mmCIF file of all heavy atoms in Angstrom:
data_model
loop_
_atom_site.group_PDB
_atom_site.id
_atom_site.type_symbol
_atom_site.label_atom_id
_atom_site.label_comp_id
_atom_site.label_asym_id
_atom_site.label_seq_id
_atom_site.Cartn_x
_atom_site.Cartn_y
_atom_site.Cartn_z
ATOM 1 N N GLN O 121 200.173 11.478 96.444
ATOM 2 C CA GLN O 121 199.596 12.207 97.640
ATOM 3 C C GLN O 121 198.187 12.341 97.314
ATOM 4 O O GLN O 121 197.639 12.492 96.136
ATOM 5 C CB GLN O 121 200.246 13.553 97.734
ATOM 6 C CG GLN O 121 201.716 13.560 98.154
ATOM 7 C CD GLN O 121 202.145 15.057 98.045
ATOM 8 O OE1 GLN O 121 202.007 15.761 99.032
ATOM 9 N NE2 GLN O 121 202.610 15.466 96.883
ATOM 10 N N PRO O 122 197.407 12.338 98.419
ATOM 11 C CA PRO O 122 195.973 12.371 98.252
ATOM 12 C C PRO O 122 195.409 13.771 97.906
ATOM 13 O O PRO O 122 195.056 14.633 98.681
ATOM 14 C CB PRO O 122 195.358 11.968 99.537
ATOM 15 C CG PRO O 122 196.499 12.213 100.492
ATOM 16 C CD PRO O 122 197.753 12.187 99.759
ATOM 17 N N TYR O 123 195.536 14.213 96.568
ATOM 18 C CA TYR O 123 194.786 15.326 96.011
ATOM 19 C C TYR O 123 193.598 14.699 95.407
ATOM 20 O O TYR O 123 193.688 13.589 94.738
ATOM 21 C CB TYR O 123 195.738 16.102 94.911
ATOM 22 C CG TYR O 123 196.782 16.836 95.556
ATOM 23 C CD1 TYR O 123 198.040 16.352 95.746
ATOM 24 C CD2 TYR O 123 196.669 18.208 95.864
ATOM 25 C CE1 TYR O 123 199.048 17.124 96.237
ATOM 26 C CE2 TYR O 123 197.623 18.930 96.338
ATOM 27 C CZ TYR O 123 198.834 18.475 96.585
ATOM 28 O OH TYR O 123 199.897 19.132 97.140
ATOM 29 N N THR O 124 192.620 15.351 95.386
ATOM 30 C CA THR O 124 191.246 14.896 94.893
ATOM 31 C C THR O 124 190.288 15.814 94.449
ATOM 32 O O THR O 124 190.575 17.067 94.228
ATOM 33 C CB THR O 124 190.650 13.931 96.115
ATOM 34 O OG1 THR O 124 189.609 13.156 95.517
ATOM 35 C CG2 THR O 124 190.116 14.820 97.283
ATOM 36 N N ALA O 125 189.065 15.392 94.066
ATOM 37 C CA ALA O 125 188.024 16.281 93.636
ATOM 38 C C ALA O 125 186.650 15.844 94.113
ATOM 39 O O ALA O 125 186.432 14.546 94.212
ATOM 40 C CB ALA O 125 188.083 16.271 92.119
ATOM 41 N N ALA O 126 185.833 16.762 94.312
ATOM 42 C CA ALA O 126 184.325 16.389 94.722
ATOM 43 C C ALA O 126 183.298 16.906 93.737
ATOM 44 O O ALA O 126 183.235 18.151 93.585
ATOM 45 C CB ALA O 126 184.071 17.046 96.040
ATOM 46 N N LEU O 127 182.763 16.044 93.109
ATOM 47 C CA LEU O 127 181.770 16.341 91.984
ATOM 48 C C LEU O 127 180.355 15.802 92.346
ATOM 49 O O LEU O 127 179.366 16.446 92.392
ATOM 50 C CB LEU O 127 182.294 15.929 90.629
ATOM 51 C CG LEU O 127 181.161 16.038 89.413
ATOM 52 C CD1 LEU O 127 180.990 17.551 89.150
ATOM 53 C CD2 LEU O 127 181.628 15.390 88.140
ATOM 54 N N ILE O 128 180.342 14.442 92.660
ATOM 55 C CA ILE O 128 179.082 13.793 92.826
ATOM 56 C C ILE O 128 178.435 14.261 94.015
ATOM 57 O O ILE O 128 178.946 14.543 95.037
ATOM 58 C CB ILE O 128 179.438 12.181 92.778
ATOM 59 C CG1 ILE O 128 180.274 11.762 91.634
ATOM 60 C CG2 ILE O 128 178.111 11.410 92.884
ATOM 61 C CD1 ILE O 128 180.722 10.311 91.791
ATOM 62 N N GLU O 129 177.016 14.148 93.867
ATOM 63 C CA GLU O 129 176.099 14.667 95.097
ATOM 64 C C GLU O 129 175.192 13.506 95.385
ATOM 65 O O GLU O 129 174.749 12.713 94.492
ATOM 66 C CB GLU O 129 175.366 16.018 94.600
ATOM 67 C CG GLU O 129 176.393 17.076 94.315
ATOM 68 C CD GLU O 129 175.805 18.393 94.019
ATOM 69 O OE1 GLU O 129 174.370 18.230 93.593
ATOM 70 O OE2 GLU O 129 176.417 19.513 94.062
ATOM 71 N N PRO O 130 174.776 13.376 96.642
ATOM 72 C CA PRO O 130 173.812 12.359 96.981
ATOM 73 C C PRO O 130 172.367 12.453 96.676
ATOM 74 O O PRO O 130 171.549 12.500 97.604
ATOM 75 C CB PRO O 130 174.020 12.316 98.488
ATOM 76 C CG PRO O 130 174.478 13.814 98.928
ATOM 77 C CD PRO O 130 175.070 14.317 97.711
ATOM 78 N N THR O 131 172.156 12.515 95.330
ATOM 79 C CA THR O 131 170.775 12.611 94.895
ATOM 80 C C THR O 131 170.587 11.549 93.880
ATOM 81 O O THR O 131 171.604 11.278 93.167
ATOM 82 C CB THR O 131 170.376 13.941 94.412
ATOM 83 O OG1 THR O 131 171.245 14.210 93.325
ATOM 84 C CG2 THR O 131 170.401 15.084 95.342
ATOM 85 N N PHE O 132 169.413 10.973 93.726
ATOM 86 C CA PHE O 132 169.255 9.904 92.732
ATOM 87 C C PHE O 132 169.533 10.380 91.265
ATOM 88 O O PHE O 132 169.889 9.629 90.394
ATOM 89 C CB PHE O 132 167.883 9.271 92.891
ATOM 90 C CG PHE O 132 166.815 9.805 92.019
ATOM 91 C CD1 PHE O 132 166.383 9.285 90.778
ATOM 92 C CD2 PHE O 132 166.026 10.976 92.498
ATOM 93 C CE1 PHE O 132 165.495 9.976 90.124
ATOM 94 C CE2 PHE O 132 165.252 11.657 91.783
ATOM 95 C CZ PHE O 132 164.758 11.156 90.538
ATOM 96 N N ASP O 133 169.257 11.670 91.159
ATOM 97 C CA ASP O 133 169.235 12.172 89.719
ATOM 98 C C ASP O 133 170.486 13.156 89.538
ATOM 99 O O ASP O 133 170.380 14.138 88.822
ATOM 100 C CB ASP O 133 167.947 12.801 89.187
ATOM 101 C CG ASP O 133 167.607 13.947 90.187
ATOM 102 O OD1 ASP O 133 168.203 14.173 91.283
ATOM 103 O OD2 ASP O 133 166.613 14.647 89.786
ATOM 104 N N PHE O 134 171.529 12.837 90.222
ATOM 105 C CA PHE O 134 172.725 13.658 90.189
ATOM 106 C C PHE O 134 173.059 13.927 88.750
ATOM 107 O O PHE O 134 173.235 13.074 87.851
ATOM 108 C CB PHE O 134 173.889 12.924 90.891
ATOM 109 C CG PHE O 134 175.275 13.440 90.495
ATOM 110 C CD1 PHE O 134 175.710 14.803 90.795
ATOM 111 C CD2 PHE O 134 176.047 12.673 89.642
ATOM 112 C CE1 PHE O 134 176.817 15.254 90.377
ATOM 113 C CE2 PHE O 134 177.332 13.187 89.193
ATOM 114 C CZ PHE O 134 177.688 14.488 89.521
ATOM 115 N N ASP O 135 173.221 15.378 88.533
ATOM 116 C CA ASP O 135 173.557 15.751 87.116
ATOM 117 C C ASP O 135 174.738 16.752 87.180
ATOM 118 O O ASP O 135 174.571 17.800 87.835
ATOM 119 C CB ASP O 135 172.240 16.451 86.648
ATOM 120 C CG ASP O 135 172.511 17.105 85.248
ATOM 121 O OD1 ASP O 135 173.572 17.011 84.782
ATOM 122 O OD2 ASP O 135 171.556 17.517 84.624
#
Side-chain angles (χ1 to χ4, degrees):
Chain O
Q121 294 172 87
Y123 285 90
T124 189
L127 175 66
I128 306 175
E129 298 180 341
T131 57
F132 86 96
D133 57 351
F134 158 68
D135 179 353

